[in-house]
Amino acid sequence: MPHPREDALLREIEARRDDLVALTQDLIRFPTINPPGDAYRPCAEYLGERLKKRGFAVEYVRAEGSPGDCEAYPRINVIARWESGRPGPCVHFNSHIDVVSVGEGWTVDPFGGVVKDGKVYGRGACDMKGGLAASVIAVEALIDSGVELPGALEISGTADEESGGYGGVAYLAERGWFSKPRVDHVIIPEPLNVDRVCIGHRGVWWSEITTEGHIAHGSMPFLGDNAVRHMGAVIAELERRIFPTLSAHQTSMPVVPEGARTPTLNINSIHGGEPDVTGSGLPAPVVPDSCRIVLDRRLLIEEDLDEVKAQMRSVLDGLTQTRPNFRYRMRDLFEVRPSMTEPDRPVVRMTCEAIEQVLGKPADICCSPGTYDQKHIDRIGKLRDCIAYGPGILDLAHQPDEYVGIDDMVNSAKVMALSAYALLTGQA
């Protein structure tokens, strides 16, 4: 049976439903699009001012020198800490404030924070300003409940997660913000569904392959060497040698959805030849001497990244032996090794128990198909007690008419508050 104090805490969060919705709307109305990194400072300062009024010590950290940081688009992070004055652990809720570009297909204002049919709509509503708002309400309600709490609570709003987190959590982790003894448990309110606890993610390797040719007049292609045709041979070899092998590998990671339990390879883009003539739209009459593709390879925890790279290079080296004049370059763009914490960690167990208490059903434990900032907390901060848990449906992230359910936000705030309470008071 729930403790009477826990019942009172849950009622207090329910009473803050309207505040939760309003906070989510306010956060959505900051167009924190990345790239380039718009409106980071005002969004971070809005969050910091709110928490400062509630007794938090607030710091703003600019990730100077990180990718994209400049005077026009400073990478501003906000970290707010509440100290109980009694010895104990620290529970940290980390959310990224950046969102992806809007794209086409919206039927509502993407930065209007429209409320309709029990949902809040807007770019970032699901990923992840609804989760950020829920964590703020959870922590405020926990502090205001009057329960004697040991330790500390932290909330952060960080930059650039959508572009790798280097101006946000990575920068902070390198400087000790996500390591013991400062922090003991981290909950990242990413949208993995309100009944799931996410304990990790697959890895990723982005690479660029360029094929080289020789330019010539388009009416005499025999005098040139077509780099696009060479790239066509690369893609054909990927179809023959790489794609069919992926399904043979299955992971023990509880990745969702089911299709992500094998490695995946996506051809993100292809660029070849000269650009069309400006204005007329007519093509340049030349043989393309360069063609480039960008590949997105997702890795399982059982895979070795060096072996994955070697397999790709083997395909390309094979073409140099069999295809006349074939020349290529391969360049690493981005890589993250898979990360997964242990299911018996206190932050996992307490959040699962809170889900069952709030929702009346057992929690699912999962891993994410894509990466998020747990990678930096694990690899750089050396902190294993880290999970993702928050409201929102993962499939809605980055989509037009993105939304977060209000009931889901309320329930997730209750789960976060109960989990933090248990972790702080030693019930873990």
CSV table of all heavy atoms in Angstrom, one decimal, residues 180-212:
chain,number,residue,atom,x,y,z
A,180,LYS,N,30.0,11.2,-9.8
A,180,LYS,CA,30.0,11.2,-8.4
A,180,LYS,C,31.3,11.9,-7.9
A,180,LYS,O,32.3,12.0,-8.6
A,180,LYS,CB,30.1,9.8,-7.9
A,180,LYS,CG,28.7,9.0,-8.1
A,180,LYS,CD,28.8,7.6,-7.5
A,180,LYS,CE,27.4,7.0,-7.6
A,180,LYS,NZ,27.3,5.7,-7.0
A,181,PRO,N,31.2,12.6,-6.7
A,181,PRO,CA,30.2,12.6,-5.7
A,181,PRO,C,29.1,13.6,-5.9
A,181,PRO,O,28.2,13.7,-5.2
A,181,PRO,CB,30.9,12.9,-4.4
A,181,PRO,CG,32.0,13.8,-4.9
A,181,PRO,CD,32.5,13.3,-6.2
A,182,ARG,N,29.2,14.4,-7.0
A,182,ARG,CA,28.2,15.5,-7.2
A,182,ARG,C,26.8,14.9,-7.5
A,182,ARG,O,25.8,15.4,-6.9
A,182,ARG,CB,28.6,16.4,-8.4
A,182,ARG,CG,27.6,17.5,-8.6
A,182,ARG,CD,27.9,18.3,-9.9
A,182,ARG,NE,26.8,19.3,-10.0
A,182,ARG,CZ,26.7,20.5,-9.5
A,182,ARG,NH1,27.7,20.9,-8.7
A,182,ARG,NH2,25.7,21.3,-9.7
A,183,VAL,N,26.7,13.9,-8.3
A,183,VAL,CA,25.5,13.3,-8.8
A,183,VAL,C,25.5,11.8,-8.6
A,183,VAL,O,26.5,11.2,-8.9
A,183,VAL,CB,25.2,13.7,-10.2
A,183,VAL,CG1,23.9,12.9,-10.7
A,183,VAL,CG2,25.0,15.2,-10.4
A,184,ASP,N,24.4,11.2,-8.1
A,184,ASP,CA,24.3,9.8,-7.9
A,184,ASP,C,23.4,9.1,-8.9
A,184,ASP,O,23.7,7.9,-9.3
A,184,ASP,CB,23.9,9.5,-6.5
A,184,ASP,CG,24.9,10.0,-5.4
A,184,ASP,OD1,25.8,9.3,-5.2
A,184,ASP,OD2,24.7,11.1,-4.9
A,185,HIS,N,22.3,9.7,-9.2
A,185,HIS,CA,21.3,9.1,-10.1
A,185,HIS,C,20.8,10.1,-11.1
A,185,HIS,O,20.6,11.3,-10.8
A,185,HIS,CB,20.1,8.6,-9.3
A,185,HIS,CG,20.4,7.8,-8.1
A,185,HIS,ND1,20.8,6.4,-8.2
A,185,HIS,CD2,20.5,8.1,-6.8
A,185,HIS,CE1,21.0,6.0,-7.0
A,185,HIS,NE2,20.9,7.0,-6.1
A,186,VAL,N,20.7,9.7,-12.4
A,186,VAL,CA,20.2,10.6,-13.4
A,186,VAL,C,19.0,10.0,-14.1
A,186,VAL,O,19.1,8.8,-14.5
A,186,VAL,CB,21.3,10.9,-14.5
A,186,VAL,CG1,20.8,11.8,-15.6
A,186,VAL,CG2,22.5,11.6,-13.8
A,187,ILE,N,18.0,10.8,-14.3
A,187,ILE,CA,16.8,10.4,-15.1
A,187,ILE,C,16.7,11.4,-16.2
A,187,ILE,O,16.6,12.6,-16.0
A,187,ILE,CB,15.5,10.4,-14.2
A,187,ILE,CG1,15.7,9.3,-13.1
A,187,ILE,CG2,14.3,10.1,-15.1
A,187,ILE,CD1,14.5,9.3,-12.1
A,188,ILE,N,16.6,10.9,-17.4
A,188,ILE,CA,16.5,11.8,-18.6
A,188,ILE,C,15.1,11.6,-19.2
A,188,ILE,O,14.8,10.5,-19.7
A,188,ILE,CB,17.6,11.3,-19.7
A,188,ILE,CG1,19.0,11.4,-19.1
A,188,ILE,CG2,17.4,12.2,-20.9
A,188,ILE,CD1,20.1,10.9,-20.0
A,189,PRO,N,14.3,12.6,-19.2
A,189,PRO,CA,12.8,12.4,-19.5
A,189,PRO,C,12.6,12.4,-21.0
A,189,PRO,O,11.8,13.1,-21.6
A,189,PRO,CB,12.1,13.6,-18.9
A,189,PRO,CG,13.1,14.1,-17.9
A,189,PRO,CD,14.4,13.9,-18.4
A,190,GLU,N,13.3,11.5,-21.8
A,190,GLU,CA,13.1,11.3,-23.2
A,190,GLU,C,11.8,10.6,-23.4
A,190,GLU,O,11.3,9.8,-22.5
A,190,GLU,CB,14.3,10.5,-23.8
A,190,GLU,CG,15.6,11.2,-23.9
A,190,GLU,CD,15.6,12.1,-25.2
A,190,GLU,OE1,14.6,12.3,-25.9
A,190,GLU,OE2,16.7,12.6,-25.4
A,191,PRO,N,11.2,10.7,-24.6
A,191,PRO,CA,9.8,10.2,-24.8
A,191,PRO,C,9.9,8.7,-25.2
A,191,PRO,O,9.8,8.3,-26.4
A,191,PRO,CB,9.3,11.0,-26.0
A,191,PRO,CG,10.5,11.4,-26.7
A,191,PRO,CD,11.6,11.6,-25.7
A,192,LEU,N,10.0,7.8,-24.3
A,192,LEU,CA,10.0,6.4,-24.5
A,192,LEU,C,8.7,5.7,-24.1
A,192,LEU,O,8.7,4.5,-24.0
A,192,LEU,CB,11.2,5.7,-23.8
A,192,LEU,CG,12.6,5.7,-24.5
A,192,LEU,CD1,12.5,5.0,-25.9
A,192,LEU,CD2,13.2,7.1,-24.7
A,193,ASN,N,7.7,6.5,-23.9
A,193,ASN,CA,6.4,6.0,-23.4
A,193,ASN,C,6.3,6.0,-21.9
A,193,ASN,O,7.3,5.6,-21.2
A,193,ASN,CB,5.9,4.7,-24.0
A,193,ASN,CG,5.8,4.8,-25.5
A,193,ASN,OD1,6.2,5.7,-26.2
A,193,ASN,ND2,5.1,3.7,-26.1
A,194,VAL,N,5.2,6.3,-21.4
A,194,VAL,CA,5.1,6.6,-19.9
A,194,VAL,C,5.2,5.3,-19.1
A,194,VAL,O,5.4,5.4,-17.9
A,194,VAL,CB,3.7,7.3,-19.7
A,194,VAL,CG1,2.5,6.4,-19.8
A,194,VAL,CG2,3.7,8.0,-18.3
A,195,ASP,N,5.1,4.1,-19.7
A,195,ASP,CA,5.1,2.9,-18.9
A,195,ASP,C,6.5,2.1,-19.2
A,195,ASP,O,6.6,1.0,-18.8
A,195,ASP,CB,4.0,1.9,-19.3
A,195,ASP,CG,3.9,1.6,-20.8
A,195,ASP,OD1,4.6,2.2,-21.6
A,195,ASP,OD2,3.2,0.7,-21.1
A,196,ARG,N,7.5,2.8,-19.7
A,196,ARG,CA,8.7,2.2,-20.0
A,196,ARG,C,9.9,2.8,-19.3
A,196,ARG,O,9.9,4.1,-19.2
A,196,ARG,CB,9.0,2.2,-21.5
A,196,ARG,CG,8.2,1.3,-22.4
A,196,ARG,CD,8.6,1.6,-23.9
A,196,ARG,NE,7.9,0.6,-24.8
A,196,ARG,CZ,7.8,0.8,-26.1
A,196,ARG,NH1,8.3,1.9,-26.6
A,196,ARG,NH2,7.2,0.0,-26.8
A,197,VAL,N,10.8,2.0,-18.9
A,197,VAL,CA,12.1,2.5,-18.4
A,197,VAL,C,13.2,2.1,-19.4
A,197,VAL,O,13.4,0.9,-19.7
A,197,VAL,CB,12.5,2.0,-17.0
A,197,VAL,CG1,13.8,2.4,-16.6
A,197,VAL,CG2,11.4,2.4,-16.0
A,198,CYS,N,13.9,3.1,-19.9
A,198,CYS,CA,14.9,2.9,-21.0
A,198,CYS,C,16.3,2.8,-20.3
A,198,CYS,O,16.7,3.8,-19.6
A,198,CYS,CB,14.8,4.0,-22.0
A,198,CYS,SG,16.0,3.7,-23.4
A,199,ILE,N,17.0,1.7,-20.5
A,199,ILE,CA,18.2,1.5,-19.8
A,199,ILE,C,19.5,1.7,-20.7
A,199,ILE,O,20.6,1.6,-20.2
A,199,ILE,CB,18.3,0.2,-19.1
A,199,ILE,CG1,18.2,-1.0,-20.1
A,199,ILE,CG2,17.2,0.1,-18.0
A,199,ILE,CD1,18.4,-2.4,-19.5
A,200,GLY,N,19.2,2.1,-21.9
A,200,GLY,CA,20.4,2.3,-22.8
A,200,GLY,C,20.0,2.5,-24.3
A,200,GLY,O,18.8,2.6,-24.6
A,201,HIS,N,20.9,2.4,-25.1
A,201,HIS,CA,20.7,2.6,-26.6
A,201,HIS,C,21.7,1.9,-27.4
A,201,HIS,O,22.8,1.6,-27.0
A,201,HIS,CB,20.7,4.1,-26.9
A,201,HIS,CG,21.9,4.8,-26.4
A,201,HIS,ND1,23.2,4.7,-27.0
A,201,HIS,CD2,22.2,5.7,-25.4
A,201,HIS,CE1,24.1,5.4,-26.4
A,201,HIS,NE2,23.5,6.0,-25.4
A,202,ARG,N,21.3,1.7,-28.7
A,202,ARG,CA,22.3,1.2,-29.7
A,202,ARG,C,23.3,2.2,-29.9
A,202,ARG,O,23.2,3.4,-29.6
A,202,ARG,CB,21.5,0.8,-31.0
A,202,ARG,CG,20.5,-0.3,-30.9
A,202,ARG,CD,20.1,-0.8,-32.2
A,202,ARG,NE,19.5,0.3,-33.0
A,202,ARG,CZ,19.1,0.2,-34.3
A,202,ARG,NH1,19.3,-1.0,-34.9
A,202,ARG,NH2,18.5,1.2,-34.9
A,203,GLY,N,24.4,1.8,-30.6
A,203,GLY,CA,25.5,2.7,-31.0
A,203,GLY,C,25.2,3.2,-32.4
A,203,GLY,O,24.3,2.7,-33.1
A,204,VAL,N,26.0,4.1,-32.9
A,204,VAL,CA,25.9,4.7,-34.2
A,204,VAL,C,27.2,5.0,-34.8
A,204,VAL,O,28.2,5.4,-34.1
A,204,VAL,CB,25.0,5.9,-34.2
A,204,VAL,CG1,25.6,7.0,-33.2
A,204,VAL,CG2,24.8,6.5,-35.6
A,205,TRP,N,27.4,4.8,-36.1
A,205,TRP,CA,28.5,5.2,-36.9
A,205,TRP,C,28.0,5.9,-38.1
A,205,TRP,O,27.4,5.3,-38.9
A,205,TRP,CB,29.4,4.0,-37.2
A,205,TRP,CG,30.6,4.3,-38.1
A,205,TRP,CD1,31.4,5.4,-38.0
A,205,TRP,CD2,30.9,3.6,-39.3
A,205,TRP,NE1,32.3,5.4,-39.1
A,205,TRP,CE2,32.0,4.3,-39.9
A,205,TRP,CE3,30.4,2.5,-39.9
A,205,TRP,CZ2,32.7,3.8,-41.0
A,205,TRP,CZ3,31.1,2.0,-41.1
A,205,TRP,CH2,32.2,2.7,-41.6
A,206,TRP,N,28.3,7.2,-38.2
A,206,TRP,CA,28.0,7.9,-39.4
A,206,TRP,C,29.3,8.0,-40.2
A,206,TRP,O,30.4,8.4,-39.6
A,206,TRP,CB,27.5,9.3,-39.2
A,206,TRP,CG,26.1,9.4,-38.6
A,206,TRP,CD1,25.2,8.3,-38.6
A,206,TRP,CD2,25.4,10.5,-38.1
A,206,TRP,NE1,24.0,8.8,-38.0
A,206,TRP,CE2,24.1,10.1,-37.7
A,206,TRP,CE3,25.8,11.8,-37.8
A,206,TRP,CZ2,23.2,11.0,-37.1
A,206,TRP,CZ3,24.9,12.7,-37.3
A,206,TRP,CH2,23.6,12.3,-36.9
A,207,SER,N,29.2,7.7,-41.5
A,207,SER,CA,30.4,7.8,-42.3
A,207,SER,C,30.1,8.5,-43.7
A,207,SER,O,28.9,8.5,-44.1
A,207,SER,CB,31.1,6.5,-42.5
A,207,SER,OG,30.2,5.6,-43.2
A,208,GLU,N,31.1,9.0,-44.3
A,208,GLU,CA,30.9,9.6,-45.7
A,208,GLU,C,31.8,8.8,-46.6
A,208,GLU,O,33.0,8.6,-46.4
A,208,GLU,CB,31.3,11.1,-45.6
A,208,GLU,CG,31.3,11.8,-46.9
A,208,GLU,CD,31.9,13.2,-46.8
A,208,GLU,OE1,33.1,13.3,-46.8
A,208,GLU,OE2,31.1,14.1,-46.7
A,209,ILE,N,31.3,8.4,-47.7
A,209,ILE,CA,32.0,7.7,-48.8
A,209,ILE,C,32.0,8.6,-50.0
A,209,ILE,O,30.9,9.0,-50.5
A,209,ILE,CB,31.5,6.3,-49.1
A,209,ILE,CG1,31.6,5.4,-47.9
A,209,ILE,CG2,32.2,5.7,-50.3
A,209,ILE,CD1,30.9,4.1,-48.0
A,210,THR,N,33.1,8.9,-50.6
A,210,THR,CA,33.2,9.7,-51.8
A,210,THR,C,33.9,8.9,-52.9
A,210,THR,O,34.9,8.3,-52.7
A,210,THR,CB,34.0,11.0,-51.6
A,210,THR,OG1,33.4,11.8,-50.5
A,210,THR,CG2,34.1,11.8,-52.8
A,211,THR,N,33.2,8.8,-54.1
A,211,THR,CA,33.9,8.2,-55.2
A,211,THR,C,34.4,9.3,-56.1
A,211,THR,O,33.8,10.4,-56.3
A,211,THR,CB,32.9,7.3,-56.0
A,211,THR,OG1,31.7,8.0,-56.3
A,211,THR,CG2,32.5,6.1,-55.2
A,212,GLU,N,35.5,9.0,-56.8
A,212,GLU,CA,36.2,10.0,-57.6
A,212,GLU,C,36.1,9.6,-59.1
A,212,GLU,O,36.2,8.4,-59.4
A,212,GLU,CB,37.6,10.2,-57.2
A,212,GLU,CG,37.7,10.7,-55.7
A,212,GLU,CD,39.1,10.7,-55.2
A,212,GLU,OE1,40.1,10.3,-56.0
A,212,GLU,OE2,39.4,11.1,-54.1
